[in-house]
Amino acid sequence: MARMKFLCDADRCIECNACVTACKNENEVPWGINRRRVVTINDGKPGERSISMACMHCTDAPCMAVCPVDCFYNTADGVVLHNKDLCIGCGYCFYACPFGAPQYPKVGNFGSRGKMDKCTYCSGGPEVDLSPAEFQKYGSNRLAEGKLPLCAEMCSTKSLLAGDGEIIAQIYKERVVKRGYGSGAWGWQTAYKETIAI
């Protein structure tokens, strides 16, 4: 079975925020919550890069490991989802996630901020597929309709890719080979002081 993954090609992202807008509109995400956001590094300076960030649906998700009520779970496609009926809003997942994906829907004191919300990879939640209850709690279930997340489909430069991890890796590898430099991953040489021969 395919493992669904996201990949954002920093060389193609133009910081248009179409992915953010598509996500908010498709899932009717409340004001104040962004399941996806565009982060710009070195803004206005040489080497500026933008990258679209959301839940990366980790293979060994830290949010899942720290949740005291086990409300996080993996689907057969490798998508990390959570059950809002089980969530107690403790915020452990918020602190454990390196991508800042889980978010509170409200600002306030502990216990008044509500249950966590996060990117669902447009695959709904534990409710019956395509039901009104599923949409109200988790948003659109495009995977059940045979579609990919709308954020990736709306990306005009095809910087944000979504789908089977192996296919995405192959697409990215082809782009890197065509560009003709190292791993192609922004920051690779800085972090590892080396390149990868392809």
Side-chain angles (χ1 to χ4, degrees):
M1 174 138 294
R3 265 199 81 74
M4 299 306 217
K5 291 290 180 186
F6 281 122
L7 184 134
C8 185
D9 186 343
D11 281 351
R12 287 184 169 216
C13 183
I14 58 172
E15 196 185 356
C16 68
N17 283 289
C19 54
V20 176
T21 304
C23 176
K24 286 189 85 64
N25 288 339
E26 181 71 9
N27 296 299
E28 296 182 10
V29 178
W31 185 87
I33 294 178
N34 286 319
R35 290 182 177 178
R36 178 165 289 285
R37 64 196 178 285
V38 176
V39 176
T40 302
I41 302 165
N42 295 331
D43 197 9
K45 298 176 186 168
E48 174 183 312
R49 292 282 196 269
S50 295
I51 187 167
S52 181
M53 296 289 298
C55 176
M56 293 300 180
H57 302 281
C58 305
T59 304
D60 187 18
C63 58
M64 207 182 295
V66 300
C67 181
V69 294
D70 292 326
C71 74
F72 288 89
Y73 62 97
N74 261 318
T75 67
D77 291 327
V79 177
V80 176
L81 296 177
H82 72 299
N83 185 332
K84 288 188 179 183
D85 292 333
L86 294 176
C87 178
I88 60 172
C90 66
Y92 288 4
C93 55
F94 172 78
Y95 293 109
C97 178
F99 305 105
Q103 298 176 43
Y104 285 108
K106 297 181 245 174
V107 176
N109 296 330
F110 178 77
S112 67
R113 294 176 280 191
K115 302 186 183 235
M116 301 309 277
D117 189 78
K118 67 176 276 306
C119 165
T120 63
Y121 203 89
C122 285
S123 64
E127 309 291 333
V128 176
D129 282 351
L130 305 175
S131 69
E134 180 187 51
F135 183 81
Q136 183 182 7
K137 286 183 189 176
Y138 306 101
S140 184
N141 189 341
R142 293 174 56 86
L143 284 188
E145 297 172 352
K147 301 174 184 174
L148 288 174
L150 192 63
C151 57
E153 287 194 12
M154 293 302 290
C155 183
S156 60
T157 61
K158 297 302 174 218
S159 165
L160 183 60
L161 301 173
D164 182 345
E166 291 181 17
I167 294 171
I168 295 214
Q170 185 59 39
I171 292 169
Y172 190 65
K173 182 179 179 181
E174 289 170 9
R175 288 181 183 180
V176 169
V177 168
K178 190 172 183 179
R179 289 177 193 149
Y181 59 83
S183 75
W186 180 81
W188 182 272
Q189 283 186 309
T190 304
Y192 300 104
K193 310 286 188 253
E194 63 184 34
T195 59
I196 293 177
I198 297 185

